[in-house]
Amino acid sequence: TAAAAAATAAAKRVVVFGGGSFGTALAYRAAVGAGGRNRVVILTRNAKQASAMQRTRINPNYLTNAQYRLPDNVDVSTDAAAALNGADVIIHTIPTQKSFEYLSKVRHLIAPHVPIVSASKGLEMDTLEYMSQIIPRALQREQQCGFLSGPTFAKELVENQPSAAVCASVPAEGGVASMVSDLMAHPSFKVYISDDVVGVEVGGALKNIFAIASGCAVGLGLGLNSRALLVTRGVREMTLLAVAMGAHPQTLAGLSGIGDLMLTCYGALSRNRSVGERIGKGETLAEIRASMNEVAEGVATAPAALQLAEKLGVVDQTPIIKAVADVLADRKSATDAVTELMARPAAAEFPPHLLEFGAAAAAVATATATAGDGGDGGGGGES
């Protein structure tokens, strides 16, 4: 099996940037993966949290139940230099909006040969950049990177519930993606691989916007018909925007696209869905933010995605993204947004010009991958 093969690989020193729920969950997956022989360090800036986690083996702020105890091969530290000394791989879980600042401060401690696996999902508001662009800008150099995404609630990952994700890198086979697949191989968790970095990143980022929309529908008291409509048309918008950026359309039909979208739109554990639900019930965004101890990335991603759609000339085809951005900016109510979306004229579900656009973009991405020029677009899919 893949897990058995991974267990024979060399043990690695894994450093996880961020002590939130997802950082803790990925530290757990790295610790129990590959036969449980990896050494894992969670790097956090919160000294009180680090001390408590090291002493009790439980994250006092997230995943606080005793069943979520950290394995013995996980340490917690606030000392970046000590944590990164001898690191074989870094897993980055810092929120996207804070990632440039964080990485800039530790770049002198990161060896050029150490791969970074980003599990941060989002689009930077000021630059409209994804993590594949933010990381080299922050480090001021190119670095081996992989991008991990998929339907993975932190709580269920540490409960060893059967789960899967996809990691994208160029190349995928024999690259960072394959390494991550081996690193985390376990009977309860598998990591598929892809060479479509853009597709995996776009899916992971944009699904949070549609989760907010789905939550608004719940808050307004709308039923499953309405939510299914939002999710399905959300897939269309997500795919359109991804393909416009050079992604392969089939990637958005995989774990990082439809898979993650379904989880966040229907799962009660989704922070983004919770934000939307509370907005639908009448709370203000300021009130919601004040009561949350973790970031809902979709709040920042929505206005950035709207700008990106405008830049790429597809904004007329992304009405849900625009509606969510308008609601978050208090330019319209959730009720008015739903009314306006339903007032749009019915037309062909897949207009011919959009199908031609998608086919042309996919052909370009495939040709780029075949030429081997190192571009982010690739054959796509989950190997």
Side-chain angles (χ1 to χ4, degrees):
T1 65
T8 64
K12 295 185 182 298
R13 180 175 173 83
V14 182
V15 180
V16 178
F17 287 172
S21 60
F22 202 51
T24 302
L26 290 183
Y28 176 87
R29 295 309 335 172
V32 301
R37 295 178 302 107
N38 297 316
R39 293 298 308 180
V40 182
V41 181
I42 297 174
L43 182 62
T44 175
R45 293 179 176 177
N46 187 326
K48 185 177 180 181
Q49 178 193 28
S51 177
M53 290 177 72
Q54 192 68 22
R55 184 180 69 257
T56 67
R57 315 304 299 159
I58 295 171
N59 192 322
N61 301 326
Y62 319 97
L63 303 173
T64 57
N65 194 295
Q67 74 181 102
Y68 305 136
R69 185 182 186 279
L70 293 171
D72 292 339
N73 55 334
V74 177
D75 291 317
V76 187
S77 176
T78 58
D79 187 338
L84 288 163
N85 184 29
D88 294 306
V89 59
I90 294 166
I91 299 176
H92 180 89
T93 69
I94 304 299
T96 301
Q97 307 308 319
K98 299 291 185 182
S99 286
F100 177 79
E101 176 188 4
Y102 185 98
L103 290 168
S104 296
K105 290 181 178 179
V106 298
R107 66 170 173 247
H108 63 290
L109 300 173
I110 300 173
H113 69 277
V114 176
I116 296 177
V117 181
S118 174
S120 302
K121 302 173 182 178
L123 185 64
E124 192 176 62
M125 290 184 69
D126 295 337
T127 64
L128 307 184
E129 289 182 343
Y130 290 92
M131 288 303 303
S132 58
Q133 299 163 300
I134 295 169
I135 292 172
R137 179 163 58 89
L139 299 185
Q140 298 181 1
R141 64 172 185 266
E142 293 299 319
Q143 191 93 1
Q144 296 181 79
C145 289
F147 302 89
L148 185 68
S149 191
T152 48
F153 279 150
K155 176 176 174 288
E156 296 186 10
L157 286 180
V158 297
E159 290 174 347
N160 285 323
Q161 296 197 32
S163 304
V166 57
C167 187
S169 68
V170 179
E173 291 282 358
V176 176
S178 290
M179 181 273 293
V180 173
S181 185
D182 291 341
L183 180 80
M184 295 188 174
H186 187 272
S188 68
F189 188 59
K190 62 169 62 182
V191 177
Y192 292 89
I193 65 173
S194 170
D195 62 2
D196 187 1
V197 169
V198 172
V200 168
E201 282 203 282
V202 171
L206 297 189
K207 56 92 182 181
N208 289 324
I209 301 172
F210 305 112
I212 292 174
S214 179
C216 283
V218 174
L220 291 171
L222 302 180
L224 292 175
N225 284 5
S226 305
R227 292 169 67 191
L229 170 62
L230 279 170
V231 171
T232 305
R233 299 300 287 180
V235 171
R236 179 181 177 279
E237 292 189 23
M238 189 165 65
T239 303
L240 180 71
L241 197 54
V243 169
M245 296 175 64
H248 197 289
Q250 74 186 47
T251 302
L252 283 300
L255 291 167
S256 63
I258 291 176
D260 212 356
L261 184 69
M262 289 175 63
L263 183 79
T264 51
C265 286
Y266 289 102
L269 295 175
S270 168
R271 294 188 297 273
N272 291 281
R273 178 185 175 279
S274 175
V275 167
E277 185 172 351
R278 293 172 66 178
I279 288 174
K281 290 179 177 178
E283 289 187 65
T284 67
L285 184 57
E287 291 170 340
I288 296 167
R289 277 177 155 167
S291 68
M292 297 183 73
N293 63 353
E294 285 197 278
V295 174
E297 287 278 16
V299 173
T301 302
L306 178 60
Q307 291 182 57
L308 187 60
E310 291 171 343
K311 180 179 177 181
L312 294 170
V314 296
V315 69
D316 289 344
Q317 301 297 327
T318 56
I320 300 174
I321 291 175
K322 184 178 186 305
V324 173
D326 285 345
V327 169
L328 291 172
D330 206 25
R331 290 190 289 266
K332 64 181 63 170
S333 68
T335 299
D336 288 344
V338 171
T339 300
E340 290 181 21
L341 284 171
M342 291 303 295
R344 287 172 59 89
E349 186 172 19
F350 298 103
H353 74 279
L354 291 182
L355 293 176
E356 292 167 6
F357 169 73
V364 169
T366 301
T368 300
T370 302
D373 69 353
D376 286 340
E382 294 152 11
S383 302

